[in-house]
Amino acid sequence: MLEHRWDAFTIYVNAYYAVQEAYDSARRSWERPASGLKEFCQDANPFLWDQDGSAEPSLYESFCEAFGAQAEDDTCSAQTGRDVARGWLASLEGERYGSSLVGALDATADEQAWEEACTAVARQLAGRRARIELSPQDEPFQAPEPEPRMPTQSDIDAVIAMLAKGDEDYAAQLRARLEDGD
């Protein structure tokens, strides 16, 4: 069986999802999430910008450095990616993010779940990249120029009715002015 290779952003998003799941799971169970998980999820959010990265750019940069030290040809196996993610999360543990990042990853993504998640994340990111490439923000929609045409009698009647608002005398004055060419 051919081993899949994953890029840095796929591994990063997978690590983010694992920690996010630990945070969400604690909240769903009405437990207090471990210290620092909320802050990490806010700072590491990979979907704030259209390009690959995180809400706090230095987090993704530090991940890429850790990834680059282990990756071959800017890709790695799922297991190597998990090891990189665990090491990177361990390096972040401290005052800001507490001491539960690695534990959160381990609790929500064992080796098999991690590998399955890599496939799902890669599929999600491929769809995201395709949507971004076709994004209307890149090329604003240009409505076709309407073809100028002469108003029909029903167009004129509709405008008169709108302006007159039920006042038949005023509607008659407007019609008379149109006929006179004023």
Side-chain angles (χ1 to χ4, degrees):
M1 185 167 108
L2 182 64
E3 179 182 62
H4 288 287
R5 307 287 296 172
W6 308 108
D7 67 354
F9 195 59
T10 301
I11 298 298
Y12 177 83
V13 171
N14 210 24
Y16 169 79
Y17 278 156
V19 175
Q20 179 74 44
E21 175 55 30
Y23 174 72
D24 289 344
S25 179
R27 293 185 64 216
R28 282 190 303 270
S29 302
W30 294 91
E31 299 170 7
R32 173 173 276 169
S35 175
L37 291 184
K38 178 180 180 181
E39 290 79 8
F40 174 82
C41 291
Q42 291 170 338
D43 293 348
N45 184 342
F47 301 113
L48 191 60
W49 315 112
D50 282 346
Q51 68 271 17
D52 295 355
S54 59
E56 177 59 47
S58 63
L59 278 178
Y60 184 63
E61 291 168 11
S62 70
F63 177 81
C64 286
E65 288 175 18
F67 184 86
Q70 297 286 324
E72 303 167 11
D73 302 325
D74 296 326
T75 64
C76 69
S77 68
Q79 181 56 47
T80 300
R82 187 171 188 273
D83 293 342
V84 169
R86 289 180 89 250
W88 174 68
L89 290 171
S91 74
L92 296 176
E93 290 183 344
E95 186 177 326
R96 173 125 176 102
Y97 300 122
S99 60
S100 57
L101 295 176
V102 174
L105 183 137
D106 290 343
T108 58
D110 63 18
E111 290 180 25
Q112 182 179 353
W114 176 268
E115 192 158 341
E116 291 169 2
C118 280
T119 302
V121 165
R123 210 169 314 138
Q124 173 196 9
L125 293 177
R128 175 179 180 256
R129 288 178 178 126
R131 281 190 304 278
I132 289 170
E133 288 172 8
L134 301 173
S135 175
Q137 292 91 354
D138 296 336
E139 294 183 28
F141 174 71
Q142 297 292 323
E145 290 291 322
E147 294 286 327
R149 64 175 179 81
M150 292 298 294
T152 64
Q153 186 59 46
S154 63
D155 293 337
I156 295 169
D157 290 340
V159 170
I160 290 173
M162 182 181 71
L163 293 173
K165 297 182 183 173
D167 184 349
E168 288 301 318
D169 290 334
Y170 184 62
Q173 289 175 3
L174 290 173
R175 282 190 188 92
R177 288 178 70 187
L178 281 172
E179 289 174 7
D180 292 340
D182 287 341

